[in-house]
Amino acid sequence: MAKVPAAVVAASGLIGGYGVARWTRKRELGGVVLTVAGAAAAQQWRQRAGGKAAGALTAAYVAAFAGSHPLAKKVGAWPAVFGSAGAVALASWAVADRRG
């Protein structure tokens, strides 16, 4: 069975977390999706690129989540989420996924 690339897992966590929070009106549920996907991506990053890279990509994941909030005030919620998810996915691919 083929593994889902960490870039896809991370982007899906950001997009899915926001979607779940928005549609259920329960931010906590969105946080669960965000956290589970982030942990799964971090595990893959560590396996593929090592601890330092995994730490840096995890920090980028958290920064993308946090940064999407002020960005949403300028461009809208969904564009901010998609942009942040895309940035994390690109970083993940460049650092970890293209090696595998």
Side-chain angles (χ1 to χ4, degrees), residues 14-26:
L14 290 164
I15 294 166
Y18 176 69
V20 167
R22 180 172 177 141
W23 287 311
T24 64
R25 299 183 193 267
K26 296 186 188 250

Side-chain angles (χ1 to χ4, degrees), residues 7 15 17-18 20-21 23 26 34 39-40 42 45 50 55 57-59 69 74 81 87 89 95:
I15 294 166
Y18 176 69
V20 167
W23 287 311
K26 296 186 188 250
L34 181 78
W45 292 328
L57 288 168
T58 300
H69 290 80
K74 296 181 186 236
V81 170
V95 173

